[in-house]
Amino acid sequence: MKEGFIEVTGGKVWYVIHNQQATGIPLLVLHGGPGSSSYSLQGLKDLAINRPVILYDQLGCGKSDRPEDDSLWTLDRFVEEVGLVRKALELNEVHILGHSWGTTLAAAYYFSEPEGIGSIIFSSPCLSAPLWEEDQKKNLTLLPKEIQETIKRSEANGTTDSSAFQKAIEVFNDHFVCRLKPYPEHLKQGKHFRNPHVYQIMWGPSEFTVQGNLKSFDCTERLAEISIPTLYTCGRFDEATPASTEYFSRKTPNASFHIFEKSAHMAYIEEPEQYRQVMNRFLSQIDH
């Protein structure tokens, strides 16, 4: 394992490489958020069997610098950051795995710098902010009425920092983010790696109404331009709904699609063995 820091616009980002000496095409992992860090994805080091696996914390979260310049929190700067990480680590050929917001970033990066990317894995994809918002409003209707009313009232009154809203969000998360009970202790311990401020600027105060600068992001009609092998995955109970994930896969010429039947948004933690098998099978088929 090798770790270090890379200079990017606005500061330094922390990275770790697992199995650096392996000869297979490296896998670069783009974490979710924005502002959530790679902490919860560390189990993906188990994919480093025949290839190096690289994780890094995007600027503003995790072990990376946390500058206070709000002009840094844009999709374009994060796309530039991926390129700088790739250049610094000499990833001339690379597979990319994005999770959640990381799929937004993976798609935007591919459309700007496709050369040398062997494949993309869109894990629980967010490729259209308007569609994501629409899906969360539908998901909300599956919850108890009092939970729905608390969330709607808090958003309308601007009280999304209230304890009532936070408790309602916990119920939502138990259904659509991570269904493991009890909630994994190590995930609770990694909470300090998050930076809610970045999320607030780019997305907004909650999942249900996009108010940040990603509000109009929608690359659905560009998915036909992705000419490399592409894998779409989601959980059966995912925020990134099976219907929307399959819709994205149908828009992509050389795509396959997989549902993790016992998972919500964190299949890599909820069904880790199955997740590794699906990822390894896809990557191995490309390498061979």
Side-chain angles (χ1 to χ4, degrees):
M1 187 177 86
K2 176 189 175 184
E3 59 182 309
F5 290 88
I6 295 167
E7 193 81 41
V8 300
T9 301
K12 294 179 180 177
V13 297
W14 173 85
Y15 73 90
V16 60
I17 306 176
H18 298 280
N19 198 9
Q20 187 182 18
Q21 305 305 319
T23 56
I25 296 173
L27 175 67
L28 178 64
V29 178
L30 306 181
H31 67 71
S36 285
S37 93
S38 65
Y39 177 80
S40 73
L41 291 157
Q42 288 299 318
L44 296 189
K45 67 180 183 291
D46 292 342
L47 296 174
I49 302 169
N50 303 314
R51 74 187 72 253
V53 170
I54 302 105
L55 297 99
Y56 77 96
D57 290 335
Q58 296 155 22
L59 191 70
C61 65
K63 298 178 183 178
S64 295
D65 288 348
R66 298 192 180 201
E68 296 183 359
D69 179 0
D70 286 349
S71 70
L72 294 167
W73 314 130
T74 67
L75 177 58
D76 287 346
R77 196 213 59 83
F78 280 108
V79 166
E80 178 196 44
E81 179 179 284
V82 177
L84 291 170
V85 168
R86 195 176 160 195
K87 183 178 180 182
L89 299 180
E90 299 181 344
L91 302 174
N92 299 321
E93 285 189 286
V94 69
H95 298 297
I96 293 179
L97 187 160
H99 177 256
S100 197
W101 137 258
T103 67
T104 307
L105 185 52
Y109 179 73
Y110 174 82
F111 293 134
S112 67
E113 295 287 339
E115 189 174 343
I117 302 176
S119 73
I120 302 179
I121 298 169
F122 290 119
S123 178
S124 298
C126 177
L127 300 176
S128 165
L131 183 55
W132 183 277
E133 181 179 302
E134 187 182 311
D135 282 344
Q136 300 334 303
K137 285 183 165 63
K138 289 178 184 174
N139 283 336
L140 197 54
T141 66
L142 303 175
L143 298 179
K145 282 287 185 189
E146 63 270 21
I147 299 298
Q148 297 181 44
E149 288 167 5
T150 298
I151 289 173
K152 289 175 184 175
R153 185 170 59 250
S154 299
E155 284 203 315
N157 298 338
T159 55
T160 52
D161 56 351
S162 67
S163 59
F165 180 79
Q166 295 307 319
K167 287 177 182 175
I169 289 299
E170 284 179 19
V171 175
F172 178 88
N173 290 346
D174 286 345
H175 281 77
F176 303 110
V177 178
C178 180
R179 294 170 73 85
L180 294 180
K181 293 195 186 325
Y183 189 76
E185 195 59 39
H186 77 282
L187 292 184
K188 295 179 187 176
Q189 293 168 2
K191 194 174 181 181
H192 66 285
F193 285 125
R194 296 184 177 184
N195 186 346
H197 184 65
V198 177
Y199 178 88
Q200 182 91 12
I201 288 176
M202 297 188 71
W203 194 261
S206 78
E207 293 287 278
F208 310 102
T209 308
V210 191
Q211 299 176 11
N213 59 39
L214 289 173
K215 183 178 179 66
S216 61
F217 177 81
D218 187 344
C219 69
T220 309
E221 296 310 314
R222 295 197 67 185
L223 296 177
E225 299 173 28
I226 301 178
S227 59
I228 57 175
T230 308
L231 172 63
Y232 288 87
T233 73
C234 67
R236 174 60 69 188
F237 311 99
D238 207 323
E239 289 179 285
T241 64
S244 292
T245 304
E246 186 174 19
Y247 169 69
F248 295 141
S249 74
R250 290 199 309 269
K251 289 274 189 180
T252 311
N254 193 13
S256 50
F257 170 58
H258 182 87
I259 297 175
F260 295 99
E261 294 292 345
K262 299 177 182 177
S263 294
H265 196 54
M266 303 178 83
Y268 54 92
I269 287 173
E270 295 168 282
E271 294 180 74
E273 288 185 28
Q274 177 77 358
Y275 192 89
R276 285 194 296 270
Q277 287 174 11
V278 170
M279 302 303 149
N280 277 325
R281 185 166 60 241
F282 172 73
L283 294 168
S284 297
Q285 286 171 348
I286 297 164
D287 288 347
H288 294 139

